[in-house]
Structures are given as C-alpha cells and as structure tokens.
Amino acid sequence: MTAGGGMPSRTAPRLPGGRVPWLGHAAAFGRDPVAFLRRGRERMGGDFSFTLLGQPVVFLCGRPAHEAVFRADEAVLSPREAYRFMTPVFGPGVAYDAEPEEMSRQIGHLLPALTSRSLAGYARVMEEEAESHFAAWAERGEADLVEVMNDLTVAIATRCLFGTGFRERMGPGLPRLYHDLESGIRLAGLLSPRLPLPSFRRRDRARAALSATLVRVIAERRAAGPAGDEPQDVLAALMAARTPDGAPLPDETVTGLLIGMIFAGQHTSAVLAAWTGVLLLDDPVRVAALVREQEDAIERDAPLDVRALRRMERLEWCVREAERLHPPLVVLMRKALRDFRYGGRLVPAGTLVMVSPAVAHRQPEVFRDPDHYDPSRYGPGREEHACPYALIGFGGGKHRCVGMAFAYQQVKIIWSVLLRRFDLELATGPHVPDYSTLVPAPRAPCRVRYRRRCAPLVSVRLTEADR
Ligand code: HEM
C-alpha cells in the first residue's frame, strides 16, 4: 500500500492497556475522554488507535489531520455512520439518518433562518429574554452560572426556533425535556441507540412530547394563513421550504430538524456561555476593560443591535477563548467506510475516526502558551484563530456548524447585558470541567456574586412587527 506512490502507509500504533476483551479502553475514556486522549497522544508521540466497546478507534490530531478528516469524501469518512446514535433524536430519514445529499438539502432549508437578517431579528429576542431574566434578580445575591445559562438558552432557543407561545404551551417541564433529549449522548449509544437504558427511554419520551406539540403548532399555523404573516422563527422558514419537486417538507422532517437543532445548539450554547463567564470574571482588571468596551459600544439603554455587537470585539475574543479552552463538544467522529489515507497514515475501513477540539486547542505549535487564558491572542497582530483548522470548536469543512453565528451572538448578548447591569465576581473556584458528560460544563458549584449597577432596560419590548 502506498500513499501517492511514495512510502507505504502505516496504521496508527495501538495504545497499550485496555486489555479487557471488547470493553477495551471504555472505562478510561468514559471517565475523562480529554485526559485519556491527551495522555495517549503524549505516550504514543502522535496519532494512536484503541478500542471502545469492540469498536476500533483511531485518534488523529493536528491541522493537516483535521483538514483531511473534515474534507474527506463522505463515501470514505462518514458522519452518518458515526452519528447513528442521533437517529432517535432527529427521527428516521432526517439529518444523519438521511443519505448525505438529502441531509445537505435538509440543512440547506435551515439556512434562510440563519442569515444575517434573521440573526438581526433574533438579537432583539435574545436581548429581551436576557433583560427579563436578569430583571427578576434581586439587588444583590448569588446565582449558579450553569443553571442561569441553561434557563436562558432554553428560553432563547425556544423562541427563535419555535416562535412565541411554545414555551408557555409546554409548561415548566420544558427545560427538563431538553435535558432528557441529551440523554442520547452516551458512550453506550455507540453500540446501539436503542438499548433499553432509562436515559434512552427518557430521551424518547422527551422527543415524543416535543414532536406532538410541534405537529399541532404546524397545523395551527397552516390553518391561520400564509407564511408571510408568520413570526420570523426557524419553524416559519422550514414551513416555507420546498422539496425539489415543489412540495412542502413533511411534518416529520420539520419537527426532526427543529428538535435536532435544540439538541445540537441549546446545551452547547449554555456551556459556552458559562465557561465564557467563569474565565472572563477571573480577573477584575479584565472585567473593567470589558465594562468600558460596553460603554463605548452601546449608548446607555439603547437596544442592542448588530452594529453594537460588532463593536464588542474584546467580548468576542473572550467567547473565542472559552471555545478554545473548553469546547462544548470534546470529540467529533467519522466512520471509515473505506480505507482512508492521508500523509503516510492508513486508517482501515471499519475504524471510527476521532478528532478532539479539546486536545487540538492545547497544541503549543498552534496556540502560544496554550493552557494560558489569553483573549488577546485573537487581537490585531496575533489572530491565532485565523490559521485554518486550528480552532475547531464548531468543526470544519462541509459539516461545520451552521449555528455558530447564532451561538456566538447569543453568548455575547447575554454577557453584554450582564456586564452592563451588574457588578460581578466569582463566588466559587477554581473551576474544572465535568467530564461525566460529553458536553462538559464547569463542575458544580459554579456561582457568581452579583450587585445590580443599573435598572433593567424596560424599553425593549418587541412589537409583533419586530418578530
Ligand atoms: C456553542 C454552541 C455550539 C457548538 C459548540 C456547536 C458545535 C458543532 C460542531 C462541532 C459541529 C460539527 C460536528 C461534526 O463535524 O462532527 C456542529 C454541527 C452542527 N450544528 Fe452546531 N454547535 C453549537 C451551536 C449550534 C446551534 C445554536 C445550532 C442551531 C441553531 C447548531 C446546529 C448545528 C447543525 C444543524 C449541525 C450539523 C451541520 C452539518 O452536519 O452540516 N449548532 N455543531
């Protein structure tokens, strides 16, 4: 076997240990996937292979490997086969359960709801949700950052995706339903997402409840009249979308894509928002600079718009640095359907290929002093993120996250409101990731102490036309 007719391709060396037949390295990986992958790489001096629940895995790291994986032909490296465990969330025939061309078409239907014009509309919703959430805070007190960010991203995602009224309709159990959906992300899902596990049963119940209400909302909107009068939310965009032969999308596709977006985007955004705060609040001098930036970027009590957000450059660097140090998705996967070669490396057909934003973002050859929190690395003259396939918290290539701008905007708006309205300091620490889930938030307790600096912005009230 040769790569490009030159040197023979070599398979990645096998990580010693993990001798328990079939289980392989599952215990160590399950305990802390990032430490496991980092240690394995140090020990093996680069790429290596191991076994997870009977599945051969190869871990690849470094910009050339990321580029090769993200740009590989899907007939060779398949996200579909790697993410089969998501089928119960998206539903049959939707996203990863569809053929690659159909999945691209389906993702394409989401894009009109994620244009800069749509994002400008969501900015108002995001600000309103943040203002009304924090208006309920006392004059001073303490709050759990992970819980706050979770509540807020539930509220924002629900309104931007499903429109107004959905949250009230679902009642106070909605955050729990979103949380249960995520029970689909379990190592056991690699084996079969249909195993009779309690967490998988909760996932299926949550999906069924969301889907039943969504189908009713779709029917009501259809009965209410033409899409032009609909609020600007992702549901409206999907209802306006047409298949190649001009038919509306089937209800199962619309509900599957919406529920899939909640799954992909809500908790991940909450975790990014929590880490952004934990890291930026660690230094009062930095907080003072960020507050000054807010004062320069936006007139007191003016509504937040996209132009003001663009002026919050330092805040954006802080979000990026949180993405780098604590990416919400710690591993991304593809399944090799055929032998895959890049450089001198051979990955045999049948292998699960893993890359890890969490490991990749700590490479000293890519990021200077990589364990050090330093948002200015993205500033003029350094721009360490500009290097292709270096910062991969939102993936890369064809399957790069379509919700990245939405997520960044949301996190920036939440922190813009917090920084303008409150004096803040961490009440707990040091904070470490809770790797018991594959979307690791800061481990509890993760609390901030706050004192209100100025009154909540009451003038931000959306009119029907704004929505
Ligand atoms: C901090 C928040 C988020 C993070 C860290 C994140 C991360 C990612 C990553 C890494 C991928 C690529 C997966 C791969 O290649 O294996 C991805 C894909 C995707 N994300 Fe996000 N995401 C976030 C928020 C969102 C939001 C808010 C939405 C929806 C509005 C969303 C929708 C999607 C979709 C639909 C895909 C699949 C794209 C495709 O395969 O073509 N994500 N995301």
Side-chain angles (χ1 to χ4, degrees):
M1 275 165 288
T2 62
M7 297 283 288
S9 304
R10 287 168 297 107
T11 53
R14 211 186 134 66
L15 185 70
R19 291 262 173 254
V20 184
W22 185 79
L23 272 180
H25 293 85
F29 182 88
R31 246 189 330 270
D32 184 339
V34 177
F36 170 81
L37 294 173
R38 209 175 281 155
R39 270 201 311 271
R41 195 173 144 72
E42 271 160 28
R43 184 163 175 194
M44 306 307 289
D47 303 341
F48 65 94
S49 63
F50 60 103
T51 307
L52 269 189
L53 309 181
Q55 168 66 60
V57 182
V58 66
F59 173 59
L60 304 178
C61 189
R63 291 176 47 234
H66 301 154
E67 177 166 9
V69 170
F70 289 137
R71 297 185 62 171
D73 188 325
E74 294 193 33
V76 181
L77 286 192
S78 164
R80 181 179 189 212
E81 292 303 323
Y83 294 140
R84 281 264 177 224
F85 63 88
M86 293 194 196
T87 300
V89 174
F90 284 93
V94 181
Y96 295 108
D97 195 58
E99 292 295 332
E101 312 76 67
E102 173 58 16
M103 173 167 174
S104 300
R105 252 197 306 275
Q106 292 176 355
I107 299 289
H109 295 315
L110 296 171
L111 300 183
L114 295 167
T115 58
S116 33
R117 193 155 172 269
S118 311
L119 285 170
Y122 301 144
R124 306 290 301 281
V125 174
M126 291 168 179
E127 185 191 17
E128 196 196 43
E129 289 294 344
E131 288 284 6
S132 68
H133 186 95
F134 297 125
W137 277 14
E139 281 307 297
R140 59 176 66 218
E142 273 193 19
D144 181 298
L145 258 195
V146 178
E147 278 171 22
V148 167
M149 296 309 165
N150 204 55
D151 290 351
L152 257 174
T153 52
V154 165
I156 290 171
T158 306
R159 261 186 68 189
C160 294
L161 266 65
F162 305 151
T164 46
F166 190 87
R167 190 162 27 137
E168 292 70 21
R169 211 165 167 148
M170 295 302 292
L174 188 63
R176 185 79 233 165
L177 290 184
Y178 289 175
H179 179 266
D180 286 351
L181 265 190
E182 272 184 84
S183 309
I185 314 191
R186 288 278 177 286
L187 201 51
L190 281 184
L191 279 182
S192 161
R194 299 282 181 205
L195 287 173
L197 299 178
S199 56
F200 288 177
R201 272 198 291 273
R202 283 198 297 276
R203 172 201 63 199
D204 295 344
R205 274 200 300 269
R207 191 197 191 277
L210 288 168
S211 165
T213 307
L214 267 172
V215 166
R216 277 200 298 278
V217 172
I218 292 171
E220 285 166 17
R221 284 199 187 185
R222 276 211 197 96
D229 301 325
E230 300 289 356
Q232 284 313 298
D233 47 49
V234 182
L235 172 57
L238 290 177
M239 287 184 67
R242 293 292 175 264
T243 62
D245 43 16
L249 302 188
D251 282 4
E252 308 81 70
T253 308
V254 174
T255 53
L257 285 172
L258 286 168
I259 293 172
M261 281 174 88
I262 289 288
F263 177 73
Q266 183 266 316
H267 188 57
T268 43
S269 298
V271 166
L272 183 63
W275 278 117
T276 299
V278 163
L279 295 167
L280 75 80
L281 290 177
D282 201 36
D283 174 2
V285 177
R286 181 182 314 113
V287 176
L290 286 165
V291 171
R292 268 198 311 281
E293 179 181 74
Q294 290 298 313
E295 287 162 0
D296 294 344
I298 178 166
E299 297 269 318
R300 205 183 138 86
D301 289 354
L304 248 182
D305 60 15
V306 175
R307 277 208 311 270
L309 282 170
R310 245 182 254 128
R311 289 193 287 267
M312 298 172 192
E313 215 178 19
R314 278 173 189 281
L315 181 56
E316 178 144 334
W317 301 344
C318 291
V319 184
R320 200 166 276 148
E321 188 66 337
E323 174 200 339
R324 186 183 73 83
L325 286 172
H326 296 290
L329 296 181
V330 293
V331 291
L332 309 177
M333 298 184 288
R334 302 288 184 266
K335 180 87 172 267
L337 301 181
R338 303 194 199 140
D339 286 357
F340 166 65
R341 291 184 177 80
Y342 90 94
R345 182 68 71 217
L346 164 70
V347 176
T351 309
L352 190 69
V353 176
M354 252 182 209
V355 299
S356 167
V359 179
H361 292 171
R362 305 284 183 129
Q363 290 182 280
E365 56 277 29
V366 183
F367 296 101
R368 198 201 304 166
D369 200 0
D371 294 329
H372 179 58
Y373 177 72
D374 179 8
S376 65
R377 66 174 77 240
Y378 309 111
R382 287 183 69 186
E383 285 145 353
E384 293 182 15
H385 62 297
C387 208
Y389 301 100
L391 200 65
I392 54 167
F394 288 84
K398 183 161 175 266
H399 287 280
R400 188 159 187 261
C401 180
V402 290
M404 178 173 159
F406 183 100
Y408 258 74
Q409 176 172 300
Q410 171 174 221
V411 176
K412 277 178 80 177
I413 288 180
I414 293 171
W415 279 101
S416 166
V417 172
L418 270 169
L419 287 164
R420 281 180 291 137
R421 306 270 168 248
F422 297 94
D423 293 325
L424 297 154
E425 61 180 6
L426 292 171
T428 51
H431 296 97
V432 292
D434 175 3
Y435 284 123
S436 66
T437 97
L438 287 184
V439 185
R443 188 185 293 156
C446 175
R447 302 182 68 76
V448 283
R449 211 169 286 126
Y450 62 83
R451 190 167 60 84
R452 191 177 295 282
R453 201 179 322 119
C454 56
L457 181 57
V458 284
S459 61
V460 184
R461 282 286 165 264
L462 295 187
T463 63
E464 234 3 87
D466 288 326
R467 291 192 174 121

